[in-house]
Amino acid sequence: SYFHFVAAEAYRARLIQMGEHPSRVINCGDPGLDNLERLTLLSREELAQALKFPLGANYFLVTYHPATLGKLNPVSAMQELTAALDRFPQIQIIITKPNADAGGRELGKMVDEYAARHPDKVYACTSLGQLRYLSAMKHCAAVVGNSSSGIVEAPGLKKPTVNIGDRQKGRLRASSIIDCAESAQAIAEAIDAVLSTEFAQVVAQTESLYGNANASSQIKEFLKRVDCPKRISKRFYDLPTGALGE
């Protein structure tokens, strides 16, 4: 690629460190946040009607994908997650099925079985779609799992995240995110922490580290005005001497 559009300044620095010229690495934020401004999210009542599932006082929004390099195998990790969720019988769960990575189909069956055991507490589906998913996030008590949406979108909506395991390791973390190990005890303790009054104050003041929900427009405007050469010959960009503290 000749131009690179990145989600944060730290990621821009990393690409420059890899030899890309600074003028062609643009920090525009994460496009995933654009939908927070573009979509008119559903009210809590509208969401319940769309899901055909009565929503009580509080619910978790849960997504757990198989972590190919996780410390536990995906099935064991899902068992630990559901065991942790069972420690909060008063809180409902909206859970979306995992992606198509290795082990995803088996975890999907586990999600269906978990929902069948708790029909009044758990709503499960393959995908909510952008509108319903972000609406569910807007009204939830916490986002739980290992999805990137807990890292990127949830802080933009001022929602706490319990991020499980290492799947999102290396991504920038807002103050509204608590990381925990893939064990029922660690997950339950993290959930208790994000539900606390003290952490609610932290979440209220959290700021997105991935831009201001206008990445798409920034990229479009840049491409409209840029003079892109017809024949491209990239040269390696060397950082100034001492830039890495040597």
Side-chain angles (χ1 to χ4, degrees), residues 99-176:
N99 59 24
D101 287 348
R105 183 173 298 178
E106 191 166 6
L107 295 192
K109 290 175 58 178
M110 294 177 70
V111 168
D112 286 334
E113 292 167 357
Y114 184 63
R117 293 197 301 270
H118 306 280
D120 297 327
K121 177 184 175 181
V122 180
Y123 176 89
C125 71
T126 300
S127 174
L128 289 169
Q130 289 181 339
L131 177 61
R132 293 193 302 174
Y133 185 81
L134 292 176
S135 298
M137 183 179 289
K138 177 182 178 181
H139 302 295
C140 73
V143 176
V144 181
N146 62 2
S147 168
S148 62
S149 62
I151 306 295
V152 178
E153 285 93 341
L157 286 172
K158 305 287 187 183
K159 290 296 175 178
T161 297
V162 172
N163 179 62
I164 303 169
D166 293 336
R167 187 170 183 268
Q168 301 301 330
K169 189 175 183 179
R171 286 179 179 258
L172 297 177
R173 297 287 199 278
S175 58
S176 56

Side-chain angles (χ1 to χ4, degrees), residues 59-71:
Y59 65 86
F60 298 136
L61 179 60
V62 179
T63 304
Y64 186 84
H65 298 295
T68 54
L69 298 178
K71 293 180 174 62

Side-chain angles (χ1 to χ4, degrees), residues 1-220:
S1 297
Y2 191 66
F3 296 110
H4 299 267
F5 301 95
V6 299
E9 196 60 32
Y11 302 156
R12 179 174 183 269
R14 177 62 57 83
L15 277 178
I16 294 171
Q17 182 181 334
M18 293 172 66
E20 298 292 341
H21 195 279
S23 67
R24 300 196 301 271
V25 185
I26 300 91
N27 175 16
C28 58
D30 195 305
L33 289 171
D34 291 7
N35 288 317
L36 300 185
E37 294 293 328
R38 183 182 299 131
L39 297 175
T40 301
L41 300 184
L42 303 175
S43 68
R44 191 184 185 90
E45 294 73 21
E46 290 170 332
L47 175 64
Q49 291 175 5
L51 299 180
K52 296 181 175 57
F53 185 76
L55 294 174
N58 290 302
Y59 65 86
F60 298 136
L61 179 60
V62 179
T63 304
Y64 186 84
H65 298 295
T68 54
L69 298 178
K71 293 180 174 62
L72 291 179
N73 67 70
V75 169
S76 296
M78 178 63 82
Q79 290 171 337
E80 293 293 319
L81 170 56
T82 54
L85 295 173
D86 284 342
R87 300 189 188 189
F88 301 86
Q90 74 282 12
I91 300 181
Q92 291 177 301
I93 298 163
I94 296 177
I95 182 168
T96 60
K97 294 183 184 180
N99 59 24
D101 287 348
R105 183 173 298 178
E106 191 166 6
L107 295 192
K109 290 175 58 178
M110 294 177 70
V111 168
D112 286 334
E113 292 167 357
Y114 184 63
R117 293 197 301 270
H118 306 280
D120 297 327
K121 177 184 175 181
V122 180
Y123 176 89
C125 71
T126 300
S127 174
L128 289 169
Q130 289 181 339
L131 177 61
R132 293 193 302 174
Y133 185 81
L134 292 176
S135 298
M137 183 179 289
K138 177 182 178 181
H139 302 295
C140 73
V143 176
V144 181
N146 62 2
S147 168
S148 62
S149 62
I151 306 295
V152 178
E153 285 93 341
L157 286 172
K158 305 287 187 183
K159 290 296 175 178
T161 297
V162 172
N163 179 62
I164 303 169
D166 293 336
R167 187 170 183 268
Q168 301 301 330
K169 189 175 183 179
R171 286 179 179 258
L172 297 177
R173 297 287 199 278
S175 58
S176 56
I177 299 167
I178 290 183
D179 296 315
C180 69
E182 296 173 311
S183 74
Q185 183 65 27
I187 296 167
E189 289 176 355
I191 291 174
D192 278 329
V194 301
L195 295 180
S196 69
T197 301
E198 295 78 11
F199 199 73
Q201 297 173 352
V202 173
V203 174
Q205 298 175 16
T206 197
E207 295 183 2
S208 171
L209 302 180
Y210 294 94
N212 299 311
N214 62 350
S216 298
S217 60
Q218 288 189 64
I219 294 171
K220 180 183 70 174

